[in-house]
């Protein structure tokens, strides 16, 4: 790649099962020039998120799949290189929804300018970005956690789960996490302050959750599905709330698993509600304003796994789907 070219990663072939580098191709092309109303940015950090697996399949969903030959979608933090609008100048740092590219053209209206002296730039893709907002929105709009209640959070060390658990602790709940591996569980308890954490890769999750939740579960923040979901659903109390945020354990499956018997929803008058973070766009600014001081004063904790180089983005996506990440998965591009 030269200064006069940019690199993009496009979808070459739809994966069966876990995605790999073979499903993508790199394309080098001349550096584009922004048209009126547009801004050219150089990518600094690219966010890698579980939802990206859904965009690789040609299935109906809440968002349109990426087409073969099209640039892979993704949020990134970047530096403005050229701008046609007065609101953005070269050197400004911005966050926005763009793609797996070293340089991107965006509509100015789709970018948010960041304070270079504020929280670390990568946090605008994790704890202060879309995943953090998802945790905040799920608890505010669906969870309604009360002091003394028991809250279970799956994928507890990830950017959604780690924020969800810390917010539930702030609300006075007993918080139990589910995470993969002793190191993640230790961090979830010691750094994030969860009361307990079940290692789903080493122990019987159902027995672990029964022991950790002697009063049942009042709020379940669902991030993974599969065996963890079955174990958590069995412990839901009357009038429990389930935040149906994601089921990452099943994203690589070609067919959905046979579902649970939902009669417990009736018996226990359980409210189950799906969450798509973009349905309430006002939550993004609200969460940034609330949480940025907590990140700065260190009272809201987070972790990141950073892979170097845009060409390693496909490998980073496979890692996030299989638990190879510890905290927010990012690619450092520039
Ligand atoms: N609804 C929305 O608007 C919205 C927005 C953002 C994210 N989400 C969803 O929220 C969930 C968490 O996202 P995130 O960005 O915070 O991801 P993440 O936690 O960084 O990554 C996913 C984690 O899932 C865990 N996992 C993978 N396979 C598993 C299995 N078979 N059983 C149990 N756990 C498994 C792994 O952690 P362990 O090693 O701990 O198992 C992996 O690190 C995902 O389902 C995502 O799709 C939804």
């Amino acid at each position: 790649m030269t200064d006069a070219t940019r690199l993009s990663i496009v979808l070459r072939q739809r994966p069966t099962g876990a995605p790999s580098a073979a499903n993508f191709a790199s394309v080098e092309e001349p550096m584009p020039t922004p048209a009126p109303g547009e801004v050219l940015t150089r990518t600094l950090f690219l966010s890698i998120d579980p939802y990206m697996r859904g965009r690789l399949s040609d299935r109906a969903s809440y968002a349109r799949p990426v087409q073969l030959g099209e640039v892979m979608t993704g949020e990134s933090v970047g530096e403005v290189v050229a701008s046609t609008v007065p609101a953005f100048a070269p050197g400004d740092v911005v966050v926005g929804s763009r793609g797996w590219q070293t340089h991107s053209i965006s509509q100015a209206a789709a970018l948010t300018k960041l304070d270079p002296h504020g929280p670390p730039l990568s946090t605008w893709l994790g704890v202060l970005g879309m995943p953090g907002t998802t945790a905040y929105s799920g608890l505010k709009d669906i969870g309604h956690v009360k002091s003394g209640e028991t809250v279970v959070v799956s994928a507890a060390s990830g950017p959604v789960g780690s924020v969800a658990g810390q917010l539930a602790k702030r609300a006075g709940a007993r918080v139990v996490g589910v995470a993969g591996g002793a190191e993640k569980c230790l961090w979830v308890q010691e750094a994030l302050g969860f009361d307990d954490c079940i290692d789903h890769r080493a122990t019987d999750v159902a027995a672990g959750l029964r022991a950790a939740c002697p009063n049942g579960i009042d709020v379940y923040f669902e991030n993974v599905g599969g065996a963890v979901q079955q174990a958590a659903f069995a412990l839901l109390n009357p009038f429990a709330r389930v935040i149906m945020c994601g089921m990452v354990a099943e994203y690589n499956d070609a067919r959905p698993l046979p579902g649970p018997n939902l009669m417990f929803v009736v018996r226990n008058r359980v409210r189950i509600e799906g969450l798509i973070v973009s349905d309430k766009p006002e939550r993004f600014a609200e969460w940034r304003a609330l949480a940025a001081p907590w990140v700065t004063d260190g009272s809201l904790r987070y972790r990141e796994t950073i892979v170097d180089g845009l060409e390693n983005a496909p490998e980073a996506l496979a890692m996030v789907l299989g638990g190879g990440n510890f905290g927010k998965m990012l690619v450092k591009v520039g």
Side-chain angles (χ1 to χ4, degrees):
M1 208 183 78
T2 68
D3 284 353
T5 60
R6 71 164 170 188
L7 202 69
S8 302
I9 296 193
V10 301
L11 179 62
R12 193 164 74 83
Q13 157 203 92
R14 298 200 183 280
T16 311
S20 73
N23 302 121
F24 299 92
S26 298
V27 175
E28 192 174 344
E29 55 192 352
M31 191 67 74
T33 319
E38 291 181 343
V39 176
L40 173 68
T41 54
R42 176 174 78 89
T43 306
L44 301 174
F45 288 103
L46 170 68
S47 181
I48 300 292
D49 295 272
Y51 81 79
M52 291 171 174
R53 179 64 185 83
R55 300 289 195 280
L56 300 178
S57 299
D58 200 7
R59 272 191 226 144
S61 183
Y62 62 93
R64 155 187 174 279
V66 174
Q67 300 302 303
L68 294 181
E70 202 177 0
V71 175
M72 185 59 193
T73 183
E75 287 69 42
S76 58
V77 165
E79 182 188 351
V80 174
V81 176
S83 170
T84 60
V85 292
F88 295 101
D92 283 350
V93 181
V94 296
V95 63
S97 184
R98 281 163 300 189
W100 293 16
Q101 294 182 304
T102 57
H103 298 77
S104 303
I105 292 281
S106 308
Q107 286 295 324
L111 298 175
T112 303
K113 203 191 289 193
L114 300 177
D115 174 4
H117 307 296
L121 294 179
S122 59
T123 60
W124 300 103
L125 298 172
V127 57
L128 294 173
M130 185 278 283
T133 309
T134 304
Y136 169 67
S137 181
L139 288 179
K140 183 177 170 102
D141 298 318
I142 303 171
H144 305 296
V145 178
K146 292 189 270 302
S147 182
E149 287 190 324
T150 299
V151 176
V152 169
V153 180
S154 52
S157 71
V160 175
S162 59
V163 171
Q166 289 179 86
L167 289 179
K169 278 307 297 176
R170 282 174 187 253
R174 170 176 171 74
V175 181
V176 175
V178 178
E183 196 192 352
K184 288 185 180 179
C185 281
L186 192 69
W187 184 72
V188 161
Q189 284 186 259
E190 294 201 338
L192 305 184
F194 283 43
D195 298 283
D196 208 339
C197 188
I198 314 302
D199 179 357
H200 71 90
R201 296 189 197 277
T203 50
D204 174 349
V205 186
L209 279 180
R210 267 197 309 276
C213 307
N215 300 323
I217 298 173
D218 300 298
V219 176
Y220 176 45
F221 203 113
E222 170 63 302
N223 285 322
V224 304
V228 179
Q229 180 182 90
Q230 286 192 17
F233 276 15
L235 295 172
L236 290 173
N237 287 329
F239 303 104
R241 285 82 69 204
V242 175
I243 301 145
M244 291 301 290
C245 177
M247 304 214 320
V248 63
E250 302 177 29
Y251 290 176
N252 284 331
D253 296 349
R255 281 174 214 286
L257 296 175
N261 182 325
L262 290 177
M263 192 56 204
F264 73 89
V265 174
V266 182
R267 261 195 317 270
N268 281 345
R269 285 81 85 208
V270 167
R271 181 169 152 202
I272 299 183
E273 190 169 339
L275 167 69
I276 299 294
V277 64
S278 48
D279 286 349
K280 290 203 166 89
E282 68 277 17
R283 291 280 179 260
F284 282 86
E286 206 177 296
W287 172 242
R288 286 173 182 181
L290 183 70
W294 296 342
V295 168
T296 304
D297 71 21
S299 65
L300 183 66
R301 308 285 300 270
Y302 65 96
R303 265 185 92 131
E304 297 171 338
T305 299
I306 302 179
V307 166
D308 228 336
L310 183 66
E311 66 283 7
N312 293 316
E315 185 200 328
L317 179 58
M319 281 169 74
V320 86
L321 294 167
N325 63 313
F326 190 160
K328 176 67 201 147
M329 187 80 226
L330 297 163
V331 175
K332 190 166 185 293
V333 180

